[in-house]
Amino acid sequence: MIEFIICDDNKDFNQLLRKKIINIMSKYKEIECIFHSFSGYGKEFENVVKNVISFKVYFLDIETKQGSGLDAARIIREKYEDWNSIIIIVTGHEELKYEALSNRLYLFDFINKLNNLETVIEKDIANIIKQYTRSSKNIVIEYDHAIHKIELRDIIYIEKEIDSKKCIVITTYGKKIVQSSLNELYKQLDDSFMKVSRSLIVNIKNVRSYDSKTNTIDFINGYESNLVSRESKKELMNRVRNNS
């Protein structure tokens, strides 16, 4: 999953940029994507920066009525310590390029709105896809009568469906019901995951907290579960504490 975050206070350009990215991404049908659009760098924008954990690609207008794209990039990198997301600065002022690239914010590119926009974006996305593919670890599952890949970092937890041979995979962007056993799925996961009972596997990185007294796991998406076996309580508590 790639999440594109576009911030530009020119509504027409915001929509145009989104359409161009959608058109380019249609060539990569195996990759799911979500879009977030903003006109400025307010609380809603920062909530996405803070809460979205998928692979993120930012297109930031260098200057809006509600803040600067460079200041927003600094918040992403320094306040939230996100040095992995892709940040592209967009502007109609070519003379600001040196200022943007000299800020040591690890910017991916500086795009001039008025100069071969679609060609530049297409080249950038091709390179972004290469980086995304190299960095992503996936499980391969079948749902909706087709084979799909789900990034491990997008999985919040996996639960066995009651009285069924299916499992429910809860991700950062929705729910998938798959025709696999819990053990089959567990074999595809890495050490970020823990099988806490016969019915539940959790991604420790996506657990907000665990209360051993009530035996309740609180996940980053607001869901809760108490399907933790007695034998797993201590290990789960230690792993959540070490990850916080």
Side-chain angles (χ1 to χ4, degrees):
M1 166 70 71
I2 298 179
E3 303 214 23
F4 290 94
I5 299 102
I6 301 170
C7 187
D8 197 295
D9 58 2
N10 183 316
K11 185 177 180 181
D12 291 337
F13 180 80
N14 198 314
Q15 293 175 348
L16 174 66
L17 183 56
R18 179 180 176 134
K19 287 179 181 178
K20 288 186 181 298
I21 296 171
I22 289 173
N23 182 53
I24 294 167
M25 286 302 297
S26 66
K27 301 174 185 178
Y28 305 96
K29 295 181 180 178
E30 75 281 6
I31 299 175
E32 297 186 64
C33 56
I34 290 177
F35 288 83
H36 306 270
S37 294
F38 302 94
S39 59
Y41 303 106
K43 289 183 179 179
E44 291 182 359
F45 173 84
E46 192 163 343
N47 281 338
V48 169
V49 174
K50 179 172 61 175
N51 296 319
V52 171
I53 63 171
S54 300
F55 187 93
K56 290 178 282 191
V57 178
Y58 293 91
F59 286 85
L60 306 180
D61 189 357
I62 199 168
E63 190 174 18
T64 73
K65 294 175 183 177
Q66 193 178 11
S68 157
L70 293 180
D71 289 339
R74 192 167 289 106
I75 287 171
I76 293 165
R77 298 300 194 215
E78 297 176 359
K79 181 176 179 179
Y80 292 105
E81 298 182 343
D82 177 1
W83 297 92
N84 297 315
S85 292
I86 302 294
I87 300 177
I88 296 170
I89 295 295
V90 184
T91 182
H93 303 285
E94 183 70 27
E95 68 273 13
L96 297 175
K97 182 174 183 176
Y98 179 77
E99 178 188 350
L101 297 179
S102 64
N103 274 267
R104 298 182 181 179
L105 295 170
Y106 293 90
L107 302 178
F108 190 83
D109 201 0
F110 177 97
I111 294 179
N112 189 330
K113 296 180 182 181
L114 310 176
N115 186 15
N116 297 321
L117 181 66
E118 187 161 0
T119 301
V120 175
I121 292 175
E122 188 159 12
K123 288 181 179 177
D124 276 351
I125 288 182
N127 288 322
I128 288 167
I129 295 299
K130 290 178 184 177
Q131 184 169 325
Y132 168 78
T133 303
R134 286 197 301 267
S135 68
S136 63
K137 296 180 180 179
N138 309 284
I139 60 169
V140 179
I141 61 175
E142 181 178 352
Y143 65 89
D144 294 338
H145 309 291
I147 300 298
H148 299 266
K149 291 181 179 180
I150 299 180
E151 280 193 73
L152 298 191
R153 62 181 155 201
D154 288 336
I155 298 173
I156 297 175
Y157 64 87
I158 304 172
E159 184 176 341
K160 182 181 182 301
E161 195 172 57
I162 298 174
D163 299 325
S164 169
K165 295 182 179 180
K166 299 178 182 178
C167 284
I168 304 167
V169 182
I170 302 297
T171 72
T172 57
Y173 50 90
K175 176 173 71 174
K176 313 292 183 186
I177 298 178
V178 301
Q179 189 75 42
S180 297
S181 72
L182 208 64
N183 285 333
E184 288 171 342
L185 294 175
Y186 195 45
K187 291 175 183 177
Q188 296 190 60
L189 303 174
D190 63 19
D191 58 8
S192 297
F193 291 81
M194 179 180 173
K195 188 176 181 184
V196 298
S197 69
R198 294 180 180 179
S199 303
L200 186 68
I201 298 169
V202 302
N203 185 347
I204 298 296
K205 293 181 178 178
N206 292 331
V207 172
R208 182 176 285 126
S209 64
Y210 172 59
D211 187 333
S212 59
K213 293 180 180 178
T214 61
N215 202 32
T216 303
I217 305 173
D218 179 24
F219 296 98
I220 61 166
N221 64 342
Y223 285 24
E224 293 183 347
S225 178
N226 58 4
L227 297 176
V228 182
S229 69
R230 183 178 300 175
E231 296 77 17
S232 300
K233 281 186 173 185
K234 185 175 180 179
E235 182 183 354
L236 177 59
M237 187 165 56
N238 287 337
R239 292 193 63 181
V240 171
R241 184 187 297 121
N242 292 337
N243 188 63
S244 60

